[in-house]
Amino acid sequence: MHVHDLIASASLDRSSDVPLFRQLYARLKDAILHGALAPGARLPATRDLCRQLGVSRQTVLAAYDQLTSEGYLRGGVGQGTFVDAALPLARQAPAAPGLLRALPERGAALAEAMGTRRLYEGPVRAFRPSMPGLDLFPFDLWRKLEARHLRHAQRGPDHGPYLGYGPANGYAPLRELLCAYLRASRGVVCTPEQIVITSGSQQALYLLTQLLLAPGDEVWVESPGYQGACAPMLVAGARIRTVPVTDEGMDVAYGARHYPDARMVFATPSHQLPLGATMSLARRLELLRWAAARRAWVIEDDYDSEYRYTGAPLASMQSLDRAGCVVYVGTLSKVLFPALRLGYVVAPPALAEPLARAKAVVDMHHAMLPQAVLADFIAEGHFMRHIRRTREAYAERRAVLMAALEHRLGERLTYGPADVGLDLCTHFRPDRKGRIPDEARVAQAALEAGIELRPLGYYANAAATPACAVAPGLLLGFSAVQPEAIRQGVEALARVIEGQWPGK
């Protein structure tokens, strides 16, 4: 194709938001890269081209100048404009149908590890699990604290410590305040230097598994349990070993008997997801003795223990650790709001610095402004007031849910334990013939009826042994839903379950 014909065919879209000179630049660049304009080809003079395309000469000059500055064109006044002859001759290549090359094993594991996780979308409705009540959060106050920091940053000579780069382990005042809070509320034994701020607990788990596990290492995980924890373990090349959960929490004796060489244990002693069990003191001490003897790490995931409705929150397992084997992981997603993406790790002293350096590899540090706002939120007493307020509201919503279930579905469902957390675990009662509905079909029918919930099978690990089998049921969240919506949700759920019952 002749150069003039080629350029004439490069029509420009005057209705587009993209400036005309950028459109012309892109078309000429594409023609050069794909060989339609060969090295050394002469381009039309700017006056000729602007008449040909019906644009201003400034548009053509701007496109030529940009291409010249990037090395595609050369020339000058009175010399003409040419495609740079030093460019390699372009060859037309067929478009690749997929990836240039297959992902390596580690890359494939990273891309697929969270493939089974499903996130809820859209407005919150009954009974979205593990979701805080956003209607209860003081967003106006949060905005005022944030605005105050921004005003100070504008006036300050260094624009504030939270608008630039910060330490990898997090904003120092926040770490000091979290240390005091965890000591008082959870009995955690730590100093501020042991705390590393992360982008939620998921990043904390990723960093810990990358840092502490070698390919082939065995890891105990609860099944059913939080499957998001398994994803970073799989990426690290670990071998998942499932351990059943009873009314006393993780069955430590089962794990020790079947997987004595494990290098890590992931446990939720304060509140097990989804069954709601709290690990007994005897099992906590048993796990700590085993881990100390085997020099194995114990990751204590303490994600929502602030919300205990029959007494004060229990002391952490970390507070019982004397061997330095427990790594305590916490998140603020359940107490404040998930989009904040703030979590933290309380590491044994010797692990804190390596963990902070590993954090710097991933993202240098978490955003400093939210950390500074949260520090003020805690220091000025708003944090504890918010926990008290939400604990009271969630207790009311929990009571409404249990009463509605007993009234409307007492013959179909059992529930419990229910003394801690944001969710209620339910199981189907068999009918006189021992039949129960299929939990996955109930969950799908509920979704079609506008109800959000999780079947318990969602939390089962794909590699789980028969010993980890759990009676079918549903996980119902109550914390994010107001009482009247809970009552309406139970009524709708009752209709769904009745319609899915065997024999109907």
Side-chain angles (χ1 to χ4, degrees):
M1 180 182 291
H2 192 273
V3 171
H4 287 273
D5 295 333
L6 173 68
I7 295 176
S9 66
S11 59
L12 305 180
D13 183 4
R14 286 167 171 76
S15 65
S16 172
D17 293 334
V18 179
L20 293 177
F21 91 91
R22 295 295 304 184
Q23 294 184 44
L24 179 58
Y25 153 83
R27 285 159 174 73
L28 293 174
K29 176 181 175 181
D30 186 69
I32 295 169
L33 289 175
H34 288 82
L37 287 177
R42 182 174 185 136
L43 272 66
T46 56
R47 295 184 186 277
D48 294 339
L49 186 55
C50 69
R51 285 195 300 268
Q52 196 171 359
L53 296 177
V55 297
S56 70
R57 186 166 179 246
Q58 189 58 42
T59 295
V60 178
L61 284 170
Y64 278 18
D65 286 346
Q66 185 66 34
L67 289 164
T68 300
S69 66
E70 294 182 11
Y72 293 97
L73 303 180
R74 62 174 179 80
V77 179
Q79 299 176 359
T81 303
F82 300 84
V83 177
D84 195 327
L87 292 176
L89 184 64
R91 287 183 172 84
Q92 295 284 355
L99 288 173
L100 179 65
R101 57 191 296 178
L103 293 175
E105 184 177 351
R106 182 178 58 184
L110 185 60
E112 297 170 5
M114 292 289 278
T116 60
R117 299 290 300 160
R118 298 195 304 273
L119 297 178
Y120 287 115
E121 297 179 352
V124 176
R125 49 187 173 172
F127 298 96
R128 183 174 293 183
S130 305
M131 183 73 180
L134 300 183
D135 59 312
L136 301 172
F137 188 79
F139 286 104
D140 288 342
L141 171 61
W142 187 270
R143 282 193 292 269
K144 289 178 182 177
L145 295 176
E146 187 173 66
R148 184 173 69 190
H149 274 287
L150 290 173
R151 286 196 301 271
H152 290 170
Q154 289 175 327
R155 291 196 292 265
D158 60 353
H159 300 292
Y162 28 80
L163 297 187
Y165 291 101
N169 59 351
Y171 186 54
L174 177 59
R175 291 187 287 109
E176 292 170 3
L177 289 161
L178 282 175
C179 180
Y181 165 70
L182 293 171
R183 279 178 168 272
S185 67
R186 306 291 291 110
V188 173
V189 180
C190 67
T191 65
E193 291 71 29
Q194 290 175 247
I195 296 179
V196 176
I197 304 297
T198 60
S199 181
S201 61
Q202 193 66 31
Q203 186 187 63
L205 295 176
Y206 178 79
L207 292 171
L208 290 169
T209 53
Q210 290 291 317
L211 197 62
L212 303 178
L213 292 175
D217 283 351
E218 293 184 316
V219 182
W220 295 6
V221 299
E222 302 161 335
S223 184
Y226 173 54
Q227 296 307 305
C230 297
M233 298 171 190
L234 291 170
V235 172
R239 292 181 290 171
I240 303 298
R241 301 301 186 225
T242 57
V243 178
V245 179
T246 72
D247 292 343
E248 292 187 68
M250 174 182 275
D251 189 339
V252 178
Y254 179 95
R257 185 168 62 253
H258 288 83
Y259 317 118
D261 299 321
R263 296 292 187 179
M264 179 180 286
V265 176
F266 176 80
T268 54
S270 294
H271 180 223
Q272 204 276 335
L273 181 75
L275 300 181
T278 297
M279 186 182 285
S280 66
L281 176 59
R283 285 198 177 173
R284 294 180 189 222
L285 294 174
E286 183 182 7
L287 176 57
L288 290 173
R289 284 195 296 269
W290 177 87
R294 293 287 179 169
R295 302 180 69 84
W297 297 102
V298 177
I299 309 300
E300 179 180 8
D301 184 12
D302 195 11
Y303 61 98
D304 68 356
S305 63
E306 287 87 357
Y307 296 110
R308 179 168 290 275
Y309 307 109
T310 56
L314 300 179
S316 65
M317 188 164 63
Q318 191 264 10
S319 66
L320 304 172
D321 178 27
R322 298 296 178 266
C325 60
V326 176
V327 183
Y328 182 90
V329 175
T331 178
L332 294 156
S333 294
K334 310 304 183 190
V335 179
L336 303 178
F337 53 95
L340 185 60
R341 303 312 305 143
L342 273 173
Y344 52 88
V345 177
V346 180
L351 181 61
E353 186 176 350
L355 180 62
R357 291 199 297 264
K359 172 74 164 60
V361 173
V362 175
D363 67 354
M364 293 294 289
H365 61 85
H366 192 76
M368 298 300 289
L369 181 58
Q371 294 183 71
V373 175
L374 178 57
D376 285 357
F377 193 73
I378 297 174
E380 296 176 14
H382 309 301
F383 184 70
M384 292 306 301
R385 282 193 291 273
H386 179 63
I387 290 178
R388 289 193 294 269
R389 181 188 179 204
T390 49
R391 186 184 291 136
E392 292 174 1
Y394 297 168
E396 178 191 4
R397 295 174 183 188
R398 162 182 166 270
V400 168
L401 176 59
M402 292 190 297
L405 289 175
E406 290 173 359
H407 172 71
R408 191 65 178 81
L409 284 165
E411 296 182 358
R412 300 297 195 192
L413 294 176
T414 63
Y415 63 80
D419 58 343
V420 64
L422 311 179
D423 312 307
L424 188 66
C425 180
T426 69
H427 294 279
F428 294 112
R429 291 183 186 272
D431 65 10
R432 294 178 180 178
K433 295 182 180 181
R435 300 175 303 180
I436 59 173
D438 180 87
E439 63 174 22
R441 291 181 60 184
V442 170
Q444 182 57 40
L447 185 62
E448 293 169 0
I451 306 168
E452 297 179 320
L453 47 80
R454 296 281 196 212
L456 296 186
Y458 175 82
Y459 298 93
N461 191 281
T465 64
C468 297
V470 174
L474 308 169
L475 187 68
L476 308 179
F478 56 81
S479 52
V481 191
Q482 295 186 6
E484 185 53 36
I486 290 175
R487 296 186 185 96
Q488 295 173 0
V490 170
E491 184 63 35
L493 178 60
R495 292 193 295 270
V496 167
I497 290 178
E498 291 291 343
Q500 292 292 321
W501 206 265
K504 286 289 183 181

